[in-house]
Amino acid sequence: MPQLKPLPDCEGPKLECFIDDITTCDFKLLGPLGSGCHSQVWKAEINGKVYAIKMFFHLGAHEPSFLMDPIDDDFPDPDEPEPLVASSKISQPTIDSLRLHATSFYNECRVFGRLKELGREDLAIKAYGYLQFDLSDDKVQRHFLPFGNGARRHLASLGNKDPTDVDVIRRTMQHDDLRIPMMAIVKEWVHSFEGTKWVQLIGGDSASRESVKRDIGHLPRLLRNLRELHKSGIVIRDLKWQQYLDGQLVDFSFAWTIPHIFGPESGLRPRWTFESMAAWDLKCFQTILNEFDDRAETSVPRLRKHNLVAWQSDDMYERLRPRPQLYGPALPMLVYDGNFQPMVHHPPFDPAKFNWRAVQKLTKKGATRRVTKTKAPQRRALREASKERRTK
């Protein structure tokens, strides 16, 4: 079987294939861990090593999620994702690009590809590559059928008392057309994926004082990492504490990465689009910080608070002397699932300014260092200055 190419097949970062064909390796599913609106996560053992495998539902992997309030109010927003069709509001080339830049599977491929090409895989959980599951293959189906009892009961409640294996697979994997491979990403296994540790990690009522204290200790590094992601041309867009496990960011289903069809080069969206989404990320992280302050306050005995600020509250600026950069009207934060929020001030980094071409040029040469538009001239100037001093 020919080796599968890195994805997505477009300009920008890509994720390598992990294994071309799982039927040729020692593959064992150990059980499902949970599911969301885009995917299911399974615990699996491949060639003797345990991984977490995120399997993406068909529509989430092939249809983009791109609407942003308040600039996309004129687009219909159906409850269920539907295939995009070209119209007077959106052209077919734009739709084709969105399917590469704004679908859940490719979103994660591009983020993990960017982190690898920068040598910054420490900023998130490690991803090893992607997989394709041919669910029409009996050899692949037999791995999932032992976990299909829930699907069988559901089908029986609908009147299908004797479902076929194909029926069970379709229901279990939420994948109707088995001719289309189910895409997945192989990630580092984190023990908090399982059991009560998951409940504790998100700060639920059963979270222990020790787990809250541990998570507060992670916060300074997580805030630095978020800013580094922005600096690397990545926005998360739906940041919540549930996306962190053991102090690592694990979910990038909604994340966008430069270059992007809605980046400043295309002209389809305002030049400040990515900057506003970075501001929204920081505001969401500030919500997380505030929640941990509340948890620290209610712990017995009380825990020391973190004293971190990701995003200053808007009312703080009302108490300061007027600044020209704060004169209104303020640009909005572009969000996919929230109400209008003004971007009263700017985030530290605008992801759209990331020089992705310079990085890809270095990557092709086998280098992993990051070079930006500003650093290269600075280095050149320093070299020239040192030469002048030597000649004198």
Side-chain angles (χ1 to χ4, degrees):
M1 182 177 181
Q3 185 175 3
L4 296 174
K5 61 185 178 182
L7 294 176
D9 189 12
C10 61
E11 281 190 321
K14 300 171 176 59
L15 187 65
E16 301 279 345
C17 177
F18 184 64
I19 293 175
D20 292 337
D21 185 359
I22 64 163
T23 62
T24 62
C25 66
D26 182 12
F27 180 84
K28 183 190 300 181
L29 276 181
L30 303 179
L33 298 172
S35 63
C37 58
H38 295 287
S39 59
Q40 299 174 342
V41 181
W42 292 72
K43 183 179 181 181
E45 185 179 299
I46 304 176
N47 294 331
K49 186 175 180 180
V50 176
Y51 299 93
I53 300 183
K54 186 172 184 177
M55 302 182 184
F56 294 83
F57 301 144
H58 171 68
L59 277 178
H62 292 84
E63 290 303 320
S65 174
F66 67 94
L67 300 182
M68 294 181 288
D69 287 332
I71 63 175
D72 287 324
D73 289 341
D74 55 340
F75 274 93
D77 190 8
D79 294 333
E80 296 294 331
E82 297 177 356
L84 274 178
V85 178
S87 66
S88 59
K89 297 178 181 178
I90 187 167
S91 66
Q92 188 59 49
T94 300
I95 292 174
D96 294 339
S97 294
L98 283 171
R99 287 188 172 130
L100 295 171
H101 291 174
T103 52
S104 57
F105 171 65
Y106 285 149
N107 285 344
E108 295 219 353
C109 286
R110 302 184 84 226
V111 169
F112 289 119
R114 170 60 47 78
L115 297 182
K116 186 168 184 177
E117 70 184 12
L118 292 178
R120 293 307 311 269
E121 292 175 283
D122 59 299
L123 296 180
I125 198 168
K126 183 175 177 59
Y128 297 95
Y130 75 87
L131 293 174
Q132 281 190 174
F133 287 90
D134 181 5
L135 296 178
S136 65
D137 187 340
D138 293 341
K139 295 179 182 178
V140 177
Q141 289 182 9
R142 65 181 174 84
H143 292 292
F144 295 94
L145 288 173
F147 303 98
N149 290 335
R152 293 183 182 93
R153 288 193 295 269
H154 178 80
L155 292 170
S157 69
L158 298 177
N160 187 352
K161 303 295 184 182
D162 189 21
T164 65
D165 288 349
V166 170
D167 294 333
V168 173
I169 290 294
R170 283 175 174 162
R171 176 62 194 175
T172 301
M173 307 309 296
Q174 299 185 38
H175 197 82
D176 292 334
D177 192 347
L178 301 189
R179 296 170 299 177
I180 301 174
M182 190 170 195
M183 308 306 294
I185 293 179
V186 181
K187 300 183 182 181
E188 176 187 358
W189 169 252
V190 177
H191 289 288
S192 292
F193 274 121
E194 289 185 309
T196 56
K197 291 183 180 179
W198 170 262
V199 178
Q200 292 176 0
L201 196 73
I202 64 175
D205 293 337
S206 63
S208 66
R209 183 180 183 276
E210 290 72 22
S211 67
V212 173
K213 182 179 180 180
R214 181 193 65 232
D215 292 336
I216 289 176
H218 290 314
L219 293 176
R221 175 176 53 82
L222 297 182
L223 179 55
R224 290 194 302 270
N225 288 354
L226 178 59
R227 289 168 176 158
E228 285 296 318
L229 288 170
H230 291 164
K231 198 174 179 180
S232 304
I234 299 166
V235 287
I236 312 302
R237 300 180 64 235
D238 69 332
L239 192 61
K240 303 177 181 68
W241 184 244
Q242 288 91 331
Q243 292 167 259
Y244 289 97
L245 291 177
D246 278 357
Q248 297 183 83
L249 187 54
V250 301
D251 182 11
F252 293 96
S253 296
F254 276 97
W256 286 359
T257 304
I258 290 292
H260 195 278
I261 184 62
F262 285 164
E265 296 179 1
S266 71
L268 295 175
R269 287 292 186 272
R271 296 189 64 84
W272 44 266
T273 294
F274 271 74
E275 184 182 28
S276 75
M277 290 188 288
W280 177 247
D281 283 351
L282 292 169
K283 189 173 180 65
C284 291
F285 197 88
Q286 185 62 49
T287 301
I288 294 172
L289 294 177
N290 295 342
E291 290 172 353
F292 270 103
D293 267 350
D294 295 339
R295 299 292 298 182
E297 187 72 26
T298 57
S299 295
V300 180
R302 284 192 297 181
L303 289 168
R304 183 177 179 179
K305 296 183 180 181
H306 48 71
N307 294 325
L308 296 171
V309 177
W311 189 257
Q312 293 285 2
S313 61
D314 296 344
D315 59 355
M316 187 203 74
Y317 290 93
E318 297 175 1
R319 302 192 297 269
L320 301 176
R321 61 179 175 80
R323 288 169 167 78
Q325 65 268 29
L326 298 179
Y327 293 161
L331 293 170
M333 295 183 189
L334 301 183
V335 300
Y336 86 97
D337 65 346
N339 298 322
F340 172 81
Q341 298 280 343
M343 186 170 63
V344 177
H345 55 101
H346 298 279
F349 303 103
D350 180 358
K353 293 181 179 179
F354 177 77
N355 189 358
W356 62 274
R357 287 189 175 89
V359 172
Q360 296 225 307
K361 188 181 296 184
L362 282 174
T363 305
K364 290 178 181 178
K365 294 180 180 179
T368 57
R369 293 183 298 112
R370 177 179 174 182
V371 173
T372 64
K373 291 180 180 178
T374 56
K375 286 184 179 179
Q378 289 173 357
R379 292 171 183 165
R380 194 179 306 114
L382 288 172
R383 287 197 299 269
E384 292 174 356
S386 62
K387 288 180 182 177
E388 289 179 4
R389 286 195 296 269
R390 286 197 297 269
T391 56
K392 291 179 181 179

